[in-house]
Amino acid sequence: MKITLKDGSYKEYPQAMRIYDIALDISEGLARAACAGEVDGEVKDLRTVIEGDCQLNILTANDPAGLKVVRHTTSHILAEAVKRLFPDAKVTIGPAIEEGFYYDFDAEPFSREDLDRLEAEMKKIIKEGHKIERFTLPREEAIQFMKEKGEPYKVELIQDLPEDAEISFYDQGGFVDLCAGPHLMSTKNIKAYKLISSSMAYWRGDSNKAQLQRIYGTAFAKKEELEAYLEHLEDIKKRDHNKLGREMELFTTVDVIGQGLPLLLPKGTKMVMKLQRWIEDLEDKEWGYVRTKTPLMAKSDLYKMSGHWDHYKDGMFVLGDEEKDKEVFALRPMTCPFQYYCYKNTQHSYRDLPIRYGETSTLFRNEDSGEMHGLTRVRQFTISEGHLIVRPDQMVEEFKGCIALAKYVMSTLGLLEDITWHLSKWDPENPKKYIGEAEVWNETEEHIRNILTELELPFVEDVGEAAFYGPKVDINARNVYGKEDTMITIQWDALLAEQFDMYYIDQNGDKVRPGIIHRTSLGCYERTLAWLIEKYAGKFPTWLCPEQVRVLPISEKHEEYAEEIRKELAANDIDVTVDNRSEKIGFKIREARLDRVPYMLVVGAQEAEDKTVSVRSRFAGDEGVKPLQEFIDQICREIRTKEIRKEEAAQ
């Protein structure tokens, strides 16, 4: 057989060969570094026997697929360590993930001390250097094998496999785990690993099933790579909005108020107010939107008409019982049907369209308790919601306009480089999840696909992520932990106008159904605030800062001039405070730096006499002495243009 290698060279063998043995034939060094093989583009275990001509690429930990094998093997070593130290624990699954691996156990919660003990036990297992052997069993024997080991979760996994499935196991010196592989050849090949954290998880992600304990870890080929990653994690912890936002007194949560119901404190509230005023002015003055203000709840009749009652009721807060109460209400999870009735209040001509309704909407969604985190996923939130009622011939251009607005908003916030574009489609294999016919779905998805292609926006297509009434563009971003959240949504709706009997009068006097675009320009204000905290590590662009200037009088003698400055800055809509504490000026400067204030104005006798200010900034350190009016002009221009100044000097 002829084996073509990655560089185009080839090897010929008269008999079948394991991938590992082919790697060994090429070089001992390659065999030592080998993690898996890529056979005709498919990743295979090193133990796989090749019996015919193929293209073969030996994967090492320098390849993403090879590193994944390292991490998967490390998860099995963790499982063995847990069984050694906590023999009553039941093992479930332990996959490799983007940043490392995890393994779920039915066990008592693990402390940091437990993780440290497990790391030490893993070191022993690795040092023992057991060969990792693969074997298979028939289905019934596999079930009996795991029953005898007292592993009910593994039994369930096997029972869910097809009758004809090949059921494989890996044995590492006596510890055997159900696994499809691939794995390294020996435990001694693990060089650098770390257990990061533990948390609660549900069996198979279902909150109605058993609560498990998940241990997260990571592994690399080299210790230097692991150390660099751990440094990265430390930076992440500093940027985590759930930690930093509380330290900066932007928001808090209180148990007696409830999970997913954050309190925005004065500083956080000021930031959201600035964002909201900007978005509302932007939409109304530059993009032709008109404002509505609609109720926070409605009767169930409205949601039955829209389809939310049938398709989204579990995600809603329902007030009342349909079997007992004459009227049942629900807090709104969206604004669209309310704005439809604003449209229906007046008969419209084709000349009136498009009509662009905008509303700063407070919404309520009954999120699962395990999903909520800080400000990114909450039960009450506010979004820059909008619905465009348009003629069919206007849909494409208006949809492009919504994308342009979203891009402008992200660019202004300095977030454009961090987003990814997704075409979220229906799942034709599960049509009961949606309303409308396949023809309509395919047509509207093709419209969006063509728009994204024409605008040269790189996008991926996600099956099953559409709303129940239409496909959409989701603009996503990753948080500091790598989890992707949807920030902005733009949705093509060709169905709900029929549900609500919406129409306009065309040039022939006939009633015609309009198209509807559901969209946000900024998205959820709470989630955006979380994103901004993590993006800037709390060092926000000046225009967004809740405190833009802090005046620092050198002594009590200069407080009168400091107050004059405060009044002058406040008159120019600059958020300013004065630090009148009886502290040394060096201490005041350090405090202002820690509070991430963009500008500090130090004033003493000379500044008071000359009507100047000594400017220190978060961006360039000491910017020198300037006339007060010059500084005001400078900062007002920076705020007006929403400039994002770069850090120019170590602070």
Side-chain angles (χ1 to χ4, degrees):
M1 63 182 180
K2 182 178 179 180
I3 308 297
T4 304
L5 303 176
K6 184 179 180 181
D7 62 0
S9 64
Y10 62 89
K11 290 275 189 178
E12 290 185 316
Y13 301 98
Q15 75 285 332
M17 296 272 285
R18 294 190 308 170
I19 293 174
Y20 176 78
D21 294 323
I22 295 173
L24 188 61
D25 183 55
I26 296 170
S27 80
E28 290 187 9
L30 180 61
R32 284 195 300 271
C35 299
E38 189 176 45
V39 182
D40 293 333
E42 187 176 352
V43 177
K44 297 286 188 180
D45 193 280
L46 289 170
R47 302 157 189 81
T48 301
V49 176
I50 297 178
E51 298 178 332
D53 296 352
C54 69
Q55 290 187 326
L56 174 64
N57 178 23
I58 304 298
L59 300 173
T60 71
N62 292 325
D63 303 295
L67 183 58
K68 186 176 180 180
V69 175
V70 172
R71 289 169 170 171
H72 192 185
T73 303
T74 311
S75 79
H76 278 227
I77 293 172
L78 165 63
E80 181 177 357
V82 168
K83 292 296 286 186
R84 286 186 179 187
L85 298 183
F86 304 92
D88 292 335
K90 305 300 180 185
V91 293
T92 65
I93 58 171
I97 55 178
E98 186 174 350
E99 298 290 327
F101 62 87
Y102 69 79
Y103 209 116
D104 288 346
F105 303 91
D106 188 342
E108 293 298 315
F110 296 101
S111 66
R112 181 65 247 183
E113 291 74 18
D114 291 332
L115 299 189
D116 293 339
R117 289 175 60 210
L118 287 168
E119 280 186 4
E121 193 65 31
M122 290 170 70
K123 185 176 182 180
K124 292 179 185 177
I125 295 168
I126 293 167
K127 192 173 182 180
E128 289 166 9
H130 296 291
K131 286 186 178 180
I132 302 176
E133 305 285 353
R134 182 181 186 272
F135 66 91
T136 62
L137 289 175
R139 190 169 184 273
E140 290 308 313
E141 287 186 32
I143 291 173
Q144 187 59 34
F145 181 69
M146 278 301 172
K147 281 184 177 179
E148 290 173 358
K149 285 188 169 292
E151 299 293 357
Y153 297 96
K154 297 294 185 181
V155 171
E156 182 179 329
L157 290 172
I158 298 170
Q159 290 172 333
D160 287 348
L161 294 172
E163 290 285 345
D164 59 349
E166 181 181 73
I167 300 171
S168 60
F169 298 83
Y170 283 83
D171 183 340
Q172 54 193 46
F175 174 76
V176 180
D177 203 350
L178 171 74
C179 188
H183 281 283
L184 300 179
M185 300 297 287
S186 169
T187 61
K188 69 180 179 182
N189 294 332
I190 302 298
K191 305 298 183 184
Y193 63 93
K194 181 70 178 176
L195 299 183
I196 305 299
S197 62
S198 63
S199 64
M200 188 271 288
Y202 291 109
W203 173 232
R204 294 188 157 183
D206 187 340
S207 60
N208 296 313
K209 294 185 177 179
Q211 284 191 12
L212 306 174
Q213 301 303 318
R214 176 171 296 178
I215 296 178
Y216 286 99
T218 193
F220 289 88
K222 300 175 182 177
K223 289 184 178 179
E224 296 81 5
E225 294 172 340
L226 175 62
E227 289 170 359
Y229 176 74
L230 295 178
E231 287 181 13
H232 169 65
L233 285 186
E234 287 303 311
D235 180 60
I236 282 175
K237 290 178 183 177
K238 294 175 185 176
R239 291 175 177 269
D240 181 355
H241 85 276
N242 209 15
K243 178 177 182 291
L244 184 54
R246 296 170 194 272
E247 290 174 356
M248 295 182 68
E249 297 184 355
L250 299 176
F251 77 97
T252 190
T253 52
V254 181
D255 287 343
V256 295
I257 292 176
Q259 191 178 9
L261 299 170
L263 301 174
L264 289 184
L265 301 174
K267 292 179 182 178
T269 301
K270 178 161 282 191
M271 289 186 68
V272 169
M273 287 172 59
K274 290 182 179 187
L275 289 168
Q276 180 179 328
R277 289 166 179 165
W278 169 53
I279 290 296
E280 290 179 351
D281 285 346
L282 180 67
E283 289 179 347
D284 300 355
K285 296 177 181 178
E286 299 184 34
W287 290 83
Y289 282 75
V290 290
R291 294 275 124 201
T292 63
K293 186 173 177 59
T294 56
L296 300 181
M297 68 177 74
K299 295 195 296 184
S300 60
D301 306 54
L302 181 72
Y303 305 116
K304 289 174 181 176
M305 192 180 304
S306 68
H308 286 86
W309 201 255
D310 292 332
H311 293 87
Y312 198 73
K313 183 181 177 183
D314 289 345
M316 298 167 64
F317 288 100
V318 177
L319 310 176
D321 187 324
E322 287 188 287
E323 295 183 1
K324 299 178 181 178
D325 300 319
K326 184 177 180 181
E327 290 185 327
V328 174
F329 288 78
L331 299 177
R332 65 179 183 183
M334 85 316 288
T335 310
C336 43
F338 297 87
Q339 291 194 327
Y340 297 163
Y341 276 98
C342 292
Y343 176 82
K344 285 167 62 69
N345 185 63
T346 305
Q347 181 168 288
H348 296 281
S349 157
Y350 69 97
R351 293 189 180 91
D352 299 330
L353 305 186
I355 295 176
R356 306 180 187 96
Y357 291 113
E359 182 166 337
T360 303
S361 306
T362 298
L363 305 180
F364 306 85
R365 295 184 184 172
N366 192 9
E367 298 283 0
D368 185 272
S369 60
E371 291 293 317
M372 287 181 288
H373 174 70
L375 297 177
T376 56
R377 194 169 292 275
V378 292
R379 285 176 168 155
Q380 176 182 310
F381 56 95
T382 303
I383 68 172
S384 58
E385 195 163 15
H387 297 88
L388 289 72
I389 317 299
V390 305
R391 301 194 309 264
D393 62 290
Q394 297 170 326
M395 281 289 284
V396 169
E397 288 306 311
E398 288 296 319
F399 203 93
K400 288 180 184 176
C402 293
I403 290 176
L405 175 56
K407 283 184 66 178
Y408 174 78
V409 169
M410 292 294 99
S411 178
T412 302
L413 292 175
L415 304 173
L416 189 59
E417 63 186 24
D418 302 323
I419 64 176
T420 57
W421 300 81
H422 298 253
L423 167 50
S424 296
K425 308 189 298 183
W426 79 318
D427 181 1
E429 300 297 320
N430 294 286
K432 291 183 179 180
K433 290 173 56 180
Y434 310 92
I435 61 175
E437 301 301 321
E439 181 181 356
V440 175
W441 281 91
N442 293 335
E443 180 182 338
T444 52
E445 286 175 4
E446 185 63 20
H447 279 306
I448 297 177
R449 186 179 294 110
N450 291 338
I451 289 170
L452 292 172
T453 302
E454 179 186 336
L455 296 176
E456 299 182 344
L457 296 172
F459 66 96
V460 296
E461 300 192 12
D462 299 330
V463 175
E465 293 300 316
F468 67 85
Y469 50 85
K472 55 183 176 172
V473 171
D474 282 327
I475 302 175
N476 294 357
R478 292 185 184 276
N479 64 22
V480 290
Y481 292 101
K483 185 180 183 300
E484 197 166 71
D485 292 305
T486 298
M487 308 305 297
I488 293 174
T489 291
I490 305 166
Q491 185 170 324
W492 189 301
D493 177 6
L495 298 170
L496 287 185
E498 181 77 27
Q499 303 277 99
F500 283 86
D501 191 27
M502 298 167 65
Y503 64 87
Y504 65 91
I505 305 300
D506 72 3
Q507 55 267 50
N508 299 317
D510 296 327
K511 292 182 177 180
V512 180
R513 298 291 182 206
I516 303 171
I517 299 173
H518 307 239
R519 49 99 277 176
T520 55
S521 53
L522 177 85
C524 168
Y525 284 96
E526 289 84 355
R527 185 174 289 179
T528 300
L529 179 57
W531 191 9
L532 290 166
I533 293 169
E534 295 184 352
K535 167 73 175 182
Y536 293 105
K539 295 181 179 180
F540 308 110
T542 300
W543 74 275
L544 267 176
C545 287
E547 182 184 5
Q548 295 164 330
V549 178
R550 187 176 296 179
V551 185
L552 309 178
I554 293 176
S555 72
E556 292 181 6
K557 300 176 184 177
H558 315 115
E559 288 180 4
E560 183 177 343
Y561 180 52
E563 180 60 20
E564 288 180 25
I565 294 171
R566 188 199 65 77
K567 289 180 179 179
E568 189 67 25
L569 294 177
N572 283 274
D573 294 324
I574 298 165
D575 291 309
V576 55
T577 62
V578 178
D579 186 348
N580 280 330
R581 293 178 298 169
S582 300
E583 301 284 356
K584 293 182 179 180
I585 194 63
F587 177 84
K588 292 182 180 182
I589 291 172
R590 285 192 297 275
E591 288 276 293
R593 285 175 180 168
L594 290 173
D595 290 341
R596 299 169 176 83
V597 179
Y599 291 97
M600 295 154 271
L601 303 183
V602 180
V603 293
Q606 194 63 53
E607 286 81 9
E609 181 179 341
D610 299 340
K611 299 300 179 184
T612 59
V613 288
S614 180
V615 181
R616 298 187 66 87
S617 77
R618 203 182 63 208
F619 315 102
D622 188 351
E623 295 193 10
V625 176
K626 300 179 181 181
L628 177 59
Q629 190 58 49
E630 180 182 329
F631 172 76
I632 292 173
D633 293 342
Q634 169 194 322
I635 192 172
C636 285
R637 181 171 57 252
E638 184 180 335
I639 292 169
R640 184 179 65 255
T641 61
K642 298 178 175 57
E643 179 185 354
I644 301 175
R645 287 191 67 182
K646 303 297 183 184
E647 301 286 336
E648 300 169 7
Q651 295 295 300

